[in-house]
Amino acid sequence: MKKQIGVLTSGGDCPGLNAAIRGVVRAGQESFRMHFVGFRDGFRGLVQDRTLELTPLALSGILAHGGTILGTSRDKPHKMPIGSKVRDMTDAVVETYHRHHLDALVCIGGGGTQKNALRLKNEGLNVVTLPKTIDNDVAMTDVTFGFDTALNIVTEAIDRLHSTAISHHRIIVVEVMGHRAGWLALGAGIAGGADVILIPEIPYAVEVVAKAIRRRTRAGKTFSIVVVAEGAMSQTEAATIADLVAAKDKTRRKSEKKAASVELDQFHQAHVNHTMELTHRLEELTGLESRLTILGHLQRGGAPSAGDRVLATRLATGCAGLLSQETYGIMVAARGEGVEPVSLDEVAGRKKLVPLDHHWVQSARHVGVCLGDQL
Ligand code: F6P
């Protein structure tokens, strides 16, 4: 009997998703005689039973394309906006799974997808995930696909911003995605020769950043490039967050926990404009004209790099092999040169942040980059 496999992509898109869809389906069809059905727009397509037949023709020519032929969404099966209400649609997911007589469901996604997949595993479905995101913050995998492409895009942007910063003798602040992790800002900041790199894992003091820039001015360098991760925060903001999290963890009352969560969310929402405030503050403190560039969704668009095409294909073909062995309830992780199944219980709900002693952090400091905590 041919195995019947469902495939979906979920969460923010990233380059390499089509390479992964192609990899798992081609390997499954050609090496293991599997049959595939794609679900559109993440878990919403599974709830609504909207499908795309993954024929060889549908896969032709997609390897080099960004985005995802399946479409994606950030919908969660257990909390899905339906009309004006948010409903638990897990039963509908389970029904669609059985209606298609699926032997397994492949969910290609980031941290949120791993959590949703674990919930479905706990409902008795055979689930296998692949780790993608430009943030590179999925636990238990060396790397995620999408990251390498974004690293190249941000590096090229920093290269371009250098010439205008030099001509105008300005500070250019570049805001980089990454959610609560600093991998993208740190990697691209090093590759692009940034003078200051601010990441969430290392809370900064704006005075330290200003001092580093003034020191450059004294050395005759009349411009500075400051790369800031969207999740970076000052030492004061980090202390406020730590207090809110501690208050949330301490209380046993449901209502107080909820209130603390709301306060935390409000804090994070208010933090969205922090790079604009930082840019103004640096202008005040250094007397240098300052400008902000927010790279935004440019970082997720366009063709995947060669590295991401290879990584996505490696993980996806490894996935097909694991499906054929009926190894379920796992994420296919990149480990060294190969792939490795890791239990979803070990992945879901965990984030891979930049360790403070990571060699990228050390290298940045060695080449004189200010990380905002010390000169
Ligand atoms: O997870 C990828 C990511 O691009 C993050 O870096 C960013 O915080 C987020 O998605 C943006 O999400 P959206 O595309 O939903 O605005």
Side-chain angles (χ1 to χ4, degrees):
M1 274 279 278
K2 271 192 172 186
K3 275 197 183 356
Q4 185 76 11
I5 310 290
V7 184
L8 60 81
T9 52
S10 168
D13 73 331
C14 76
L17 283 169
N18 284 327
I21 296 168
R22 172 183 176 270
V24 69
V25 177
R26 279 227 173 140
Q29 285 170 342
E30 287 177 21
S31 305
F32 304 107
R33 294 188 63 251
M34 293 170 183
H35 180 261
F36 289 86
V37 58
F39 291 94
R40 295 179 188 269
D41 304 332
F43 292 101
R44 186 167 287 268
L46 202 54
V47 166
Q48 298 172 337
D49 200 356
R50 286 188 292 114
T51 59
L52 176 71
E53 196 65 22
L54 293 171
T55 59
L57 201 60
L59 302 177
S60 186
I62 68 170
L63 172 67
H65 290 180
T68 159
I69 58 164
L70 289 174
T72 187
S73 71
R74 292 197 182 277
D75 286 310
K76 308 175 180 101
H78 69 294
K79 265 189 195 172
M80 193 170 287
I82 304 284
S84 57
K85 294 205 171 112
V86 175
R87 291 177 51 193
D88 183 347
M89 301 304 287
T90 309
D91 288 349
V93 167
V94 175
E95 273 169 34
T96 308
Y97 180 98
H98 291 304
R99 192 176 310 120
H100 286 271
H101 306 289
L102 296 184
D103 292 291
L105 175 68
V106 177
C107 304
I108 311 177
T113 304
Q114 311 304 326
K115 288 198 252 179
N116 291 325
L118 177 61
R119 284 199 189 92
L120 296 184
K121 176 200 157 193
N122 293 340
E123 292 293 324
L125 306 191
N126 296 328
V127 191
V128 174
T129 66
L130 293 180
K132 68 86 203 158
T133 164
I134 65 163
D135 304 340
N136 194 32
D137 61 351
V138 177
M140 307 297 291
T141 181
D142 289 354
V143 67
T144 57
F145 64 84
F147 177 61
D148 181 63
T149 310
L151 206 53
N152 285 311
I153 295 171
V154 179
T155 302
E156 194 198 330
I158 298 171
D159 287 348
R160 289 179 181 276
L161 289 167
H162 258 98
S163 61
T164 170
I166 292 167
S167 306
H168 284 270
H169 315 295
R170 281 175 174 162
I171 296 173
I172 301 256
V173 176
V174 192
E175 184 189 300
V176 175
M177 278 185 171
H179 198 224
R180 309 265 161 83
W183 294 105
L184 192 53
L186 183 59
I190 293 171
D195 307 299
V196 178
I197 304 174
L198 305 178
I199 60 172
E201 294 84 348
I202 305 178
Y204 65 87
V206 68
E207 295 77 13
V208 171
V209 177
K211 260 190 198 163
I213 293 173
R214 284 200 298 264
R215 192 157 76 176
R216 282 175 54 77
T217 310
R218 283 198 300 278
K221 296 173 184 176
T222 58
F223 74 96
S224 288
I225 301 285
V226 180
V227 172
V228 188
E230 62 180 344
M233 57 185 76
S234 69
Q235 290 168 353
T236 320
E237 290 165 330
T240 308
I241 291 216
D243 288 348
L244 288 172
V245 170
K248 185 179 162 195
D249 290 347
K250 207 169 126 198
T251 180
R252 293 228 173 103
R253 290 206 184 141
K254 231 178 163 184
S255 61
E256 284 177 13
K257 262 203 195 306
K258 203 165 176 200
S261 289
V262 169
E263 218 177 318
L264 258 173
D265 282 351
Q266 283 169 348
F267 189 89
H268 282 301
Q269 271 162 28
H271 189 62
V272 162
N273 292 326
H274 72 115
T275 45
M276 183 53 92
E277 286 157 27
L278 175 68
T279 308
H280 287 319
R281 194 81 187 101
L282 288 178
E283 185 162 295
E284 275 169 19
L285 291 172
T286 62
L288 288 171
E289 222 179 16
S290 305
R291 293 287 188 273
L292 169 65
T293 300
I294 299 177
L295 296 177
H297 290 81
L298 268 179
Q299 296 161 96
R300 292 210 321 237
S305 65
D308 272 337
R309 294 179 204 187
V310 174
L311 174 61
T313 305
R314 165 155 71 102
L315 290 168
T317 51
C319 175
L322 290 162
L323 288 168
S324 77
Q325 294 160 18
E326 303 187 353
T327 308
Y328 302 136
I330 54 110
M331 176 183 81
V332 186
R335 188 79 71 236
E337 294 298 307
V339 300
E340 201 174 275
V342 183
S343 166
L344 282 173
D345 299 275
E346 287 184 67
V347 181
R350 294 174 63 190
K351 255 188 196 310
K352 185 183 72 178
L353 299 177
V354 178
L356 296 185
D357 60 352
H358 193 271
H359 59 96
W360 285 9
V361 173
Q362 290 166 11
S363 300
R365 290 197 199 278
H366 281 313
V367 294
V369 178
C370 170
L371 298 181
D373 56 338
Q374 62 192 56
L375 276 180

